[in-house]
Amino acid sequence: MTVEIRVPVLGESVTEATVGQWFKKVGDAVVKDEPIVELETDKVTLEVNATESGRLEEIVVAEGEDVEVGALLGQLLAGGAGNTSAPAEAPPEEPAAVAAPATPAPAATPPAAAPSSAAPALPAAQKLIDENGLNPASITGTGKDGRITKGDVLEAMENGGSSPAAAPTAPAASAPAPASVSAAPSGPRSEEAREERVKMTRLRKSIANRLKDAQNTAAMLTTYNEVDMGAMLDLRAEYKELFLKKHGVKLGFMSFFTKACIAGLKELPAVNAEIDGDDLIYKNYYNMGIAVGTPTGLVVPVLRDADQLSFAEVEKGIGELGKKARDGKLSMADLQGGTFTITNGGVYGSLMSSPILNPPQAGVLGMHKIQERPMAVNGEIEIRPMMYLALTYDHRIIDGKEAVTFLVRVKEALEDPQRLLLDL
């Protein structure tokens, strides 16, 4: 029986995707629920799994091509016997058995050693490994049966824990190789070496379009302030161990900033509003978008009803969303429905910047690096841990007085964290 592989429903307002990678070739065996093809939308990357076991009979849409929801991607022959990885490795073993028929034991040894020399990786993880020249043996797999997941590869890349796969094989190269390497710098570089043309991913195109639309549509203006982080740092230092012991999560800055923003949004509802045609929609719920940088681009997963969450629940929720973003496991629902966004350029060392709105939201708060600076305190100069804050807002909805007041309220709450606990 032939089973069609079609583009699934991708989510609200998402009508098309790009075929990122086929994990199987025509004729390959497929197991039910195994990923067959990866699709890139303008928000997330998702895998299409096999609905039946069998053999991949046909690939209709090639990698890099755009498809609409419901489009036919390929066909699967259910129950059909396909090519597997085991037969592919059999030929190298057979000559060894012929050359040494009296010693069958050594011939059986290489297959047993092969898995240990190269840890098994899921298709999406293997793609990242190949693209970045990583050594899978240096990556610890956390998936089922120790398989390497996409998240394992991304974590290894962030920690610098992976070594280039080519490094161990370089000494084994033939003698002419070093000569060609040494000769390369002496001649002029080719045009191919000077430039590299790479097709934009759908996510990158989406980011570019949304940011440009925000500039073209909203009347964006940014107001700045600075906050003394001393009280918050002292509070965290005093309670971080007890907080971690009780809740199983670290007490970070994001829970304080989230709670401070919610307090400001409740007082100044225009900052939590949006424009819909000729109407203003004031939202009495607080879904906080938390910008997260990933190897494929910036995404903004949403922490829903954050006003109803405790500090620990906020920290856990943000941690889970961040991990899903880095692992490429965010769903469409994780990215929809935000009413206000917080972005932290400080993690990259930014001292000050002007964030761009995330439409249709009317406000975005930019956090930055904590920098010790000399400040005048009660007529004396003190060295204080200071952070610049930036609020970019849609001036069509929010007046300057409302924007400045909101940022002052955030500043007051952060400089006196007890206000958040007392709802002041």
Side-chain angles (χ1 to χ4, degrees):
M1 179 181 68
T2 301
V3 178
E4 295 181 338
I5 307 169
R6 293 188 175 273
V7 179
V9 176
L10 301 172
E12 180 182 351
S13 76
V14 181
T15 60
E16 62 179 11
T18 301
V19 177
Q21 178 187 12
W22 281 95
F23 301 136
K24 298 289 185 178
K25 301 185 295 294
V26 173
D28 283 355
V30 177
V31 179
K32 183 178 180 180
D33 295 329
E34 182 181 14
I36 301 179
V37 60
E38 182 180 70
L39 300 178
E40 297 177 357
T41 74
D42 56 0
K43 295 183 178 181
V44 297
T45 298
L46 55 90
E47 296 175 343
V48 179
N49 297 334
T51 57
E52 299 287 345
S53 297
R55 172 173 57 83
L56 184 58
E57 188 175 47
E58 180 184 11
I59 293 178
V60 176
V61 183
E63 295 179 358
E65 294 188 17
D66 295 337
V67 289
E68 295 182 350
V69 172
L72 181 65
L73 296 169
Q75 297 192 96
L76 176 71
L77 181 61
N83 300 326
T84 63
S85 57
E89 297 178 2
E93 298 172 18
E94 291 174 2
V98 173
T103 56
T109 301
S116 62
S117 61
L122 294 172
Q126 188 63 52
K127 179 183 178 183
L128 274 180
I129 291 172
D130 296 339
E131 289 177 348
N132 294 277
L134 304 178
N135 183 0
S138 65
I139 303 174
T140 302
T142 61
K144 185 177 180 180
D145 299 327
R147 299 189 72 185
I148 298 173
T149 67
K150 187 174 181 180
D152 297 330
V153 180
L154 294 176
E155 183 177 359
M157 292 169 62
E158 290 177 0
N159 296 333
S162 297
S163 58
T169 60
S174 59
S180 63
V181 172
S182 61
S186 62
R189 294 177 178 173
S190 65
E191 288 301 318
E192 291 79 3
R194 293 172 64 88
E195 293 183 354
E196 181 180 3
R197 184 180 294 271
V198 180
K199 184 178 180 181
M200 292 176 68
T201 64
R202 182 169 289 275
L203 176 59
R204 176 52 56 189
K205 287 189 290 185
S206 174
I207 292 172
N209 292 335
R210 286 177 62 83
L211 294 181
K212 190 58 184 174
D213 287 344
Q215 287 184 320
N216 294 339
T217 303
M220 287 194 296
L221 188 62
T222 305
T223 184
Y224 303 92
N225 213 316
E226 59 183 351
V227 56
D228 187 333
M229 299 289 287
M232 189 187 304
L233 290 172
D234 292 341
L235 186 64
R236 289 182 67 237
E238 182 177 356
Y239 293 107
K240 64 179 182 181
E241 292 184 3
L242 182 60
F243 189 90
L244 176 60
K245 182 178 180 180
K246 180 176 181 179
H247 300 292
V249 64
K250 293 182 179 179
L251 178 61
F253 290 128
M254 289 307 300
S255 54
F256 288 96
F257 275 86
T258 299
K259 290 294 186 180
C261 287
I262 291 172
L265 294 173
K266 288 183 176 180
E267 181 177 344
L268 299 147
V271 187
N272 201 47
E274 71 175 65
I275 290 179
D276 184 17
D278 294 331
D279 298 328
L280 289 177
I281 301 176
Y282 291 92
K283 300 176 181 179
N284 299 319
Y285 56 93
Y286 306 92
N287 293 345
M288 307 299 290
I290 309 297
V292 179
T294 72
T296 56
L298 184 74
V299 293
V300 188
V302 177
L303 185 67
R304 301 185 181 281
D305 296 317
D307 59 313
Q308 301 177 21
L309 304 178
S310 66
F311 275 74
E313 289 171 333
V314 170
E315 292 290 353
K316 290 178 181 178
I318 292 176
E320 291 171 359
L321 290 172
K323 186 178 187 305
K324 289 174 69 175
R326 291 187 293 272
D327 291 351
K329 295 180 179 179
L330 288 172
S331 67
M332 298 301 299
D334 290 327
L335 301 170
Q336 296 173 343
T339 63
F340 185 84
T341 292
I342 301 175
T343 179
N344 186 4
V347 296
Y348 305 111
S350 173
L351 191 62
M352 180 180 285
S353 63
S354 302
I356 296 180
L357 289 175
N358 182 24
Q361 298 171 24
V364 52
L365 179 76
M367 300 167 54
H368 298 91
K369 178 183 177 182
I370 299 175
Q371 181 76 44
E372 288 191 343
R373 297 200 301 272
M375 303 295 293
V377 180
N378 297 324
E380 297 183 355
I381 300 298
E382 294 184 14
I383 303 299
R384 303 297 301 168
M386 304 299 295
M387 177 191 287
Y388 287 117
L389 300 181
L391 174 71
T392 297
Y393 60 99
D394 191 341
H395 214 337
R396 297 176 302 165
I397 305 176
I398 306 167
D399 293 331
K401 177 183 177 181
E402 293 172 309
V404 172
T405 302
F406 172 85
L407 200 54
V408 169
R409 294 292 181 267
V410 172
K411 168 186 168 69
E412 292 173 345
L414 296 173
E415 290 185 339
D416 187 9
Q418 287 83 352
R419 296 170 64 99
L420 296 174
L421 302 176
L422 298 174
D423 194 23
L424 297 176

